[in-house]
Short mmCIF file of all heavy atoms in Angstrom, two decimals:
data_model
loop_
_atom_site.label_atom_id
_atom_site.label_comp_id
_atom_site.label_asym_id
_atom_site.label_seq_id
_atom_site.Cartn_x
_atom_site.Cartn_y
_atom_site.Cartn_z
N ALA Z 56 3.69 -13.50 7.12
CA ALA Z 56 3.69 -12.05 6.89
C ALA Z 56 5.11 -11.49 6.92
O ALA Z 56 5.88 -11.77 7.83
CB ALA Z 56 2.84 -11.34 7.95
N GLY Z 57 5.46 -10.73 5.88
CA GLY Z 57 6.76 -10.10 5.81
C GLY Z 57 7.90 -11.00 5.35
O GLY Z 57 9.03 -10.55 5.20
N GLN Z 58 7.61 -12.29 5.08
CA GLN Z 58 8.66 -13.22 4.70
C GLN Z 58 8.69 -13.51 3.20
O GLN Z 58 9.56 -14.23 2.72
CB GLN Z 58 8.48 -14.55 5.46
CG GLN Z 58 8.60 -14.41 6.96
CD GLN Z 58 8.46 -15.75 7.67
OE1 GLN Z 58 9.29 -16.64 7.49
NE2 GLN Z 58 7.42 -15.89 8.45
N GLY Z 59 7.76 -12.94 2.44
CA GLY Z 59 7.69 -13.21 1.02
C GLY Z 59 8.83 -12.57 0.24
O GLY Z 59 9.36 -11.52 0.64
N VAL Z 60 9.22 -13.20 -0.86
CA VAL Z 60 10.22 -12.63 -1.76
C VAL Z 60 9.62 -12.29 -3.12
O VAL Z 60 10.25 -11.59 -3.93
CB VAL Z 60 11.42 -13.58 -1.96
CG1 VAL Z 60 12.11 -13.87 -0.63
CG2 VAL Z 60 11.00 -14.89 -2.63
N PHE Z 61 8.39 -12.74 -3.36
CA PHE Z 61 7.76 -12.61 -4.68
C PHE Z 61 6.27 -12.88 -4.48
O PHE Z 61 5.90 -13.70 -3.63
CB PHE Z 61 8.37 -13.65 -5.62
CG PHE Z 61 7.89 -13.61 -7.06
CD1 PHE Z 61 8.59 -12.87 -8.00
CD2 PHE Z 61 6.78 -14.33 -7.46
CE1 PHE Z 61 8.17 -12.85 -9.33
CE2 PHE Z 61 6.35 -14.32 -8.78
CZ PHE Z 61 7.06 -13.58 -9.72
N THR Z 62 5.43 -12.18 -5.24
CA THR Z 62 3.98 -12.39 -5.12
C THR Z 62 3.37 -12.75 -6.46
O THR Z 62 3.80 -12.25 -7.50
CB THR Z 62 3.29 -11.12 -4.55
OG1 THR Z 62 3.72 -10.92 -3.20
CG2 THR Z 62 1.77 -11.25 -4.55
N ILE Z 63 2.36 -13.61 -6.41
CA ILE Z 63 1.55 -13.95 -7.58
C ILE Z 63 0.14 -13.46 -7.34
O ILE Z 63 -0.46 -13.74 -6.30
CB ILE Z 63 1.55 -15.47 -7.84
CG1 ILE Z 63 2.97 -15.98 -8.11
CG2 ILE Z 63 0.63 -15.83 -9.00
CD1 ILE Z 63 3.09 -17.48 -8.15
N THR Z 64 -0.39 -12.72 -8.31
CA THR Z 64 -1.77 -12.26 -8.22
C THR Z 64 -2.50 -12.67 -9.49
O THR Z 64 -1.99 -12.47 -10.60
CB THR Z 64 -1.84 -10.72 -8.00
OG1 THR Z 64 -3.22 -10.30 -8.00
CG2 THR Z 64 -1.07 -9.94 -9.05
N ASN Z 65 -3.68 -13.27 -9.34
CA ASN Z 65 -4.38 -13.88 -10.46
C ASN Z 65 -5.81 -13.36 -10.52
O ASN Z 65 -6.58 -13.52 -9.56
CB ASN Z 65 -4.37 -15.40 -10.29
CG ASN Z 65 -4.82 -16.15 -11.52
OD1 ASN Z 65 -5.62 -15.66 -12.31
ND2 ASN Z 65 -4.32 -17.35 -11.70
N LEU Z 66 -6.17 -12.74 -11.65
CA LEU Z 66 -7.55 -12.29 -11.87
C LEU Z 66 -8.20 -13.07 -13.01
O LEU Z 66 -9.24 -12.69 -13.52
CB LEU Z 66 -7.57 -10.79 -12.19
CG LEU Z 66 -7.19 -9.85 -11.05
CD1 LEU Z 66 -7.22 -8.39 -11.52
CD2 LEU Z 66 -8.12 -10.03 -9.85
N GLY Z 67 -7.57 -14.19 -13.38
CA GLY Z 67 -8.09 -15.00 -14.48
C GLY Z 67 -9.48 -15.52 -14.22
O GLY Z 67 -10.29 -15.65 -15.15
N MET Z 68 -9.80 -15.83 -12.95
CA MET Z 68 -11.12 -16.37 -12.63
C MET Z 68 -12.24 -15.37 -12.88
O MET Z 68 -13.40 -15.74 -12.96
CB MET Z 68 -11.16 -16.86 -11.18
CG MET Z 68 -11.01 -15.78 -10.13
SD MET Z 68 -9.33 -15.10 -10.00
CE MET Z 68 -8.44 -16.52 -9.38
N PHE Z 69 -11.87 -14.08 -13.03
CA PHE Z 69 -12.85 -13.04 -13.34
C PHE Z 69 -12.91 -12.72 -14.83
O PHE Z 69 -13.59 -11.79 -15.24
CB PHE Z 69 -12.53 -11.76 -12.56
CG PHE Z 69 -12.55 -11.95 -11.07
CD1 PHE Z 69 -11.38 -11.94 -10.33
CD2 PHE Z 69 -13.75 -12.15 -10.39
CE1 PHE Z 69 -11.38 -12.13 -8.97
CE2 PHE Z 69 -13.78 -12.33 -9.02
CZ PHE Z 69 -12.59 -12.33 -8.31
N GLY Z 70 -12.17 -13.48 -15.63
CA GLY Z 70 -12.17 -13.27 -17.07
C GLY Z 70 -11.25 -12.15 -17.54
O GLY Z 70 -11.26 -11.80 -18.71
N VAL Z 71 -10.45 -11.60 -16.62
CA VAL Z 71 -9.52 -10.52 -16.98
C VAL Z 71 -8.41 -11.09 -17.86
O VAL Z 71 -7.77 -12.08 -17.51
CB VAL Z 71 -8.92 -9.88 -15.71
CG1 VAL Z 71 -7.82 -8.89 -16.07
CG2 VAL Z 71 -10.02 -9.19 -14.91
N GLU Z 72 -8.17 -10.46 -19.00
CA GLU Z 72 -7.17 -10.97 -19.95
C GLU Z 72 -5.75 -10.63 -19.53
O GLU Z 72 -4.84 -11.46 -19.64
CB GLU Z 72 -7.45 -10.44 -21.36
CG GLU Z 72 -8.75 -10.97 -21.95
CD GLU Z 72 -8.96 -10.56 -23.38
OE1 GLU Z 72 -8.09 -9.86 -23.93
OE2 GLU Z 72 -9.99 -10.94 -23.96
N GLU Z 73 -5.54 -9.41 -19.05
CA GLU Z 73 -4.21 -9.01 -18.59
C GLU Z 73 -4.31 -7.77 -17.72
O GLU Z 73 -5.26 -6.99 -17.83
CB GLU Z 73 -3.27 -8.75 -19.77
CG GLU Z 73 -3.72 -7.62 -20.68
CD GLU Z 73 -2.74 -7.40 -21.83
OE1 GLU Z 73 -2.65 -8.26 -22.71
OE2 GLU Z 73 -2.08 -6.35 -21.82
N PHE Z 74 -3.34 -7.59 -16.84
CA PHE Z 74 -3.29 -6.40 -15.98
C PHE Z 74 -1.88 -6.26 -15.44
O PHE Z 74 -1.07 -7.17 -15.53
CB PHE Z 74 -4.32 -6.48 -14.84
CG PHE Z 74 -4.07 -7.56 -13.82
CD1 PHE Z 74 -3.63 -7.26 -12.54
CD2 PHE Z 74 -4.31 -8.90 -14.12
CE1 PHE Z 74 -3.40 -8.25 -11.60
CE2 PHE Z 74 -4.10 -9.91 -13.18
CZ PHE Z 74 -3.65 -9.58 -11.93
N SER Z 75 -1.59 -5.09 -14.89
CA SER Z 75 -0.28 -4.81 -14.30
C SER Z 75 -0.47 -4.59 -12.81
O SER Z 75 -1.32 -3.79 -12.40
CB SER Z 75 0.36 -3.58 -14.94
OG SER Z 75 0.54 -3.79 -16.34
N ALA Z 76 0.31 -5.27 -11.99
CA ALA Z 76 0.16 -5.19 -10.54
C ALA Z 76 1.23 -4.30 -9.92
O ALA Z 76 2.31 -4.11 -10.48
CB ALA Z 76 0.24 -6.60 -9.94
N ILE Z 77 0.92 -3.78 -8.74
CA ILE Z 77 1.87 -2.97 -7.97
C ILE Z 77 2.70 -3.89 -7.08
O ILE Z 77 2.16 -4.79 -6.43
CB ILE Z 77 1.13 -1.92 -7.12
CG1 ILE Z 77 0.33 -0.97 -8.02
CG2 ILE Z 77 2.11 -1.13 -6.26
CD1 ILE Z 77 -0.55 0.00 -7.26
N ILE Z 78 4.00 -3.68 -7.07
CA ILE Z 78 4.92 -4.50 -6.27
C ILE Z 78 4.58 -4.38 -4.78
O ILE Z 78 4.23 -3.30 -4.29
CB ILE Z 78 6.37 -4.07 -6.53
CG1 ILE Z 78 6.74 -4.34 -8.00
CG2 ILE Z 78 7.34 -4.79 -5.60
CD1 ILE Z 78 8.03 -3.67 -8.44
N ASN Z 79 4.71 -5.50 -4.08
CA ASN Z 79 4.43 -5.56 -2.65
C ASN Z 79 5.74 -5.45 -1.88
O ASN Z 79 6.45 -6.43 -1.70
CB ASN Z 79 3.73 -6.90 -2.35
CG ASN Z 79 3.33 -7.05 -0.90
OD1 ASN Z 79 3.04 -6.07 -0.21
ND2 ASN Z 79 3.32 -8.28 -0.41
N PRO Z 80 6.13 -4.22 -1.44
CA PRO Z 80 7.43 -4.05 -0.76
C PRO Z 80 7.52 -4.91 0.50
O PRO Z 80 6.51 -5.17 1.15
CB PRO Z 80 7.43 -2.56 -0.40
CG PRO Z 80 6.42 -1.94 -1.29
CD PRO Z 80 5.38 -2.99 -1.49
#
């Protein structure tokens, strides 16, 4: 927790083609 420099978020398993994510400060 709090040590990340970059996040990956994946909704492909739900069939979502594309989306825009909010940055995790």
Side-chain angles (χ1 to χ4, degrees):
Q58 298 182 64
V60 300
F61 183 93
T62 293
I63 299 171
T64 176
N65 192 330
L66 292 179
M68 66 288 293
F69 300 108
V71 172
E72 294 186 0
E73 62 180 69
F74 66 108
S75 299
I77 299 174
I78 296 167
N79 183 30

